[in-house]
């Protein structure tokens, strides 16, 4: 159960990061590139070569920052999700013991949120 829930929560975070990166990519391609071309034309600079150079540089920076965001997001999501799921796993183990007739098990209360109240 833990791995299944952990993988679902990580997948949600990856989808969110992917959506944000896609939105940034489209915004750069359609908004920033058009503004850059207009600016180059305003100052009588050929926008063709400059625009390609601008987009190439921006896409490289976006790819590197996206890679860093995904790695950082995965690491933080994994760490934080395991911290949230830890008490739930403890409760699951105690509940299994109770189902088997062992009523001595207790779950330590680690927080005062909903999971702490459930414990």
């Amino acid at each position: 159960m833990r791995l299944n829930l952990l993988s679902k929560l990580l997948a949600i975070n990856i989808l969110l990061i992917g959506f944000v990166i896609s939105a940034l990519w489209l915004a750069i391609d359609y908004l920033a590139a058009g503004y850059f071309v207009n600016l180059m034309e305003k100052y009588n600079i050929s926008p063709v070569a400059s625009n390609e150079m601008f987009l190439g540089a921006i896409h490289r920076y976006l790819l590197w920052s996206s890679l860093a965001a995904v790695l950082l997001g995965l690491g933080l999501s994994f760490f934080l999700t395991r911290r949230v799921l830890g008490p739930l796993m403890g409760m699951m183990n105690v509940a299994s013991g109770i189902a088997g007739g062992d009523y001595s098990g207790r779950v330590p209360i680690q927080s005062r949120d909903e999971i702490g109240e459930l414990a």
Side-chain angles (χ1 to χ4, degrees), residues 87-105:
L88 293 176
M89 290 302 297
M91 285 182 256
M92 193 171 82
N93 291 335
V94 169
S96 295
I98 291 172
D102 178 17
Y103 299 106
S104 65

Side-chain angles (χ1 to χ4, degrees), residues 8-80:
K8 287 178 185 178
L9 292 172
L10 288 175
I12 289 169
N13 288 329
I14 294 300
L15 285 173
L16 180 63
I17 291 171
F19 177 75
V20 170
I21 291 169
S22 299
L24 282 172
W25 192 284
L26 290 173
I28 287 170
D29 276 357
Y30 291 107
L31 300 176
Y35 178 74
F36 183 79
V37 167
N38 290 338
L39 192 62
M40 291 294 107
E41 288 174 349
K42 178 180 179 181
Y43 291 104
N44 296 324
I45 300 172
S46 174
V48 176
S50 299
N51 188 37
E52 289 176 14
M53 187 173 61
F54 170 76
L55 283 177
I58 291 295
H59 286 159
R60 271 193 313 278
Y61 293 136
L62 186 59
L63 285 174
W64 282 110
S65 62
S66 298
L67 179 64
V70 166
L71 291 176
L72 182 64
L74 271 175
L76 285 173
S77 294
F78 185 77
F79 173 73
L80 294 173

Side-chain angles (χ1 to χ4, degrees), residues 83-85 87-88 91 109 111-119:
R83 280 190 56 109
V84 169
L85 293 180
L88 293 176
M91 285 182 256
I109 298 173
S111 64
R112 299 202 181 271
D113 58 5
E114 291 85 355
I115 293 175
E117 286 182 30
L118 182 61

